Amino acid sequence: MHDERDEHGWDDADQSGPRPEDEPGTGVVAVFGRQLKLLRIRAGLDRAEFGKLVGYAAQSVASFEQGRRIPQPRFIDRADEVLDAGGVLKAMKEEVARAQYPAFFRDMARLEAEAVELCVYDTHVVNGLLQTEEYTRALLTMRRPLLDEETIEQRVSARLARQEIFNRWPAPLLSFILEESVARRPLGGKAVQRGQLEQLLLIGQKRNVEIQVMPLDREDNAGVDGPFTVVTRKGAEQLAYMEVQGRSSLLTDREEVRLTAARYGIIRSQALSPRESLGFIEKLLGEL
């Protein structure tokens, strides 16, 4: 493994995080916390007084200052105004926001936010962009080793925030293919599964979204090597992202990405059409 970056500035090596600078109390979150504390003290406010002005409890302010919690963008904006920071805190907002994601996913989160097209193939769970809050929380709760409650809530918020991609304009083109087993798996229980299937139907009706199901009875499936995402950025530049067991790879080599995109095209042709897929999901929902 190496730490060189390609001409696009993206790591070419696997992201095996978390790295030391991603641990609580270090990195950009800790820097933000120290800066926040200095500005608060300069303003002559204790944590309770400051908390009232920004709408947060003193305990939350302490967690932000000590780098134990990642502040939301609205807190950063309000804190900058209340403390007359002149944009110092706001300037850190983007990097602080990136810290809410696991280290291995941060480059992909930035790519996802810039994408003009995403092609996503999933084999085990519903993709994060399509997940309901209940489904996301169920997945995070069953992780091993166990995640603490604060981390679970932080990651639930982060995953739901990614779904702003559906409100962007110009609207990106979004294609999702999931294995039939993904839709049938009652992770979190039948009620969670029902809500997730309803979410798929709802999102699948958006004009810029296509959701397809790969039936279990298909004798040909070009996706046997596992899940992946093909990202197209403005200017038609493409990259491919793969993730497994808390590790990720971001492919930038043009030939590798071309082959990955071609594989997606084959999978897409083997799956049910978008209309057939929504019909399948409706039928499955009726069976619950």
Side-chain angles (χ1 to χ4, degrees):
M1 183 177 291
H2 58 81
D3 58 5
E4 295 178 356
R5 289 177 176 264
D6 69 359
E7 68 270 22
H8 306 291
W10 300 103
D11 288 325
D12 194 33
D14 287 357
Q15 303 300 302
S16 56
R19 300 180 296 273
E21 67 268 25
D22 298 314
E23 295 295 331
T26 64
V28 68
V29 178
V31 172
F32 175 88
R34 289 194 293 268
Q35 189 68 56
L36 175 66
K37 183 177 181 179
L38 287 172
L39 289 167
R40 176 180 59 78
I41 293 173
R42 186 192 70 173
L45 299 170
D46 63 28
R47 285 172 177 159
E49 292 170 331
F50 173 63
K52 287 181 180 178
L53 292 173
V54 295
Y56 284 77
Q59 185 178 1
S60 295
V61 174
S63 294
F64 296 150
E65 291 183 349
Q66 294 162 9
R68 292 186 289 108
R69 284 183 60 191
I70 297 172
Q72 296 297 313
R74 64 179 180 276
F75 170 84
I76 297 176
D77 288 338
R78 183 62 180 148
D80 196 281
E81 294 167 4
V82 168
L83 298 175
D84 193 23
V88 170
L89 297 179
K90 289 182 179 180
M92 302 177 68
K93 188 162 59 173
E94 183 177 339
E95 285 305 310
V96 170
R98 274 170 50 80
Q100 69 187 314
Y101 300 110
F104 66 83
F105 188 74
R106 289 176 190 166
D107 279 348
M108 180 55 187
R110 179 164 32 161
L111 276 174
E112 195 176 74
E114 300 171 351
V116 296
E117 182 178 2
L118 283 176
C119 294
V120 184
Y121 173 58
D122 285 301
T123 60
H124 287 78
V125 298
V126 174
N127 188 268
L129 290 176
L130 301 172
Q131 290 176 11
T132 63
E133 180 176 344
E134 294 76 16
Y135 187 91
T136 297
R137 186 171 284 106
L139 292 183
L140 293 172
T141 300
M142 62 183 74
R143 286 281 179 86
R144 298 295 186 275
L146 295 173
L147 299 175
D148 60 75
E149 291 300 319
E150 191 168 287
T151 299
I152 289 174
E153 293 310 310
Q154 173 189 310
R155 293 192 181 179
V156 168
S157 296
R159 195 163 297 180
L160 295 177
R162 289 168 52 203
Q163 296 178 7
E164 281 299 310
I165 193 171
F166 295 114
N167 300 320
R168 274 174 41 197
W169 190 264
L173 299 177
L174 305 173
S175 171
F176 300 91
I177 303 172
L178 61 150
E179 291 289 324
E180 177 183 336
S181 56
V182 173
R184 288 190 176 279
R185 192 169 290 133
L187 298 176
K190 292 290 186 181
V192 173
Q193 182 188 16
R194 185 177 297 107
Q196 183 58 71
L197 292 176
E198 291 172 347
Q199 173 98 322
L200 293 178
L201 289 176
L202 184 65
I203 295 178
Q205 293 173 19
K206 293 180 179 291
R207 289 189 298 147
N208 64 318
V209 177
E210 289 187 343
I211 295 177
Q212 294 177 250
V213 174
M214 176 68 81
L216 285 170
D217 63 4
R218 287 291 194 262
E219 295 184 0
D220 276 336
N221 185 337
V224 291
D225 286 339
F228 61 90
T229 299
V230 177
V231 184
T232 303
R233 303 171 77 186
K234 191 174 182 180
E237 176 195 12
Q238 285 190 318
L239 304 99
Y241 174 80
M242 300 172 188
E243 177 187 317
V244 63
Q245 297 294 329
R247 295 176 180 269
S248 64
S249 296
L250 191 59
L251 304 182
T252 58
D253 179 80
R254 289 183 180 179
E255 182 61 15
E256 285 187 291
V257 175
R258 184 189 69 79
L259 291 172
T260 305
R263 187 180 310 126
Y264 188 86
I266 297 171
I267 297 171
R268 189 183 235 169
S269 70
Q270 294 169 332
L272 295 175
S273 71
R275 179 172 293 183
E276 291 170 333
S277 296
L278 293 183
F280 173 87
I281 294 170
E282 284 181 339
K283 182 175 181 295
L284 184 57
L285 191 55
E287 296 172 358
L288 294 180

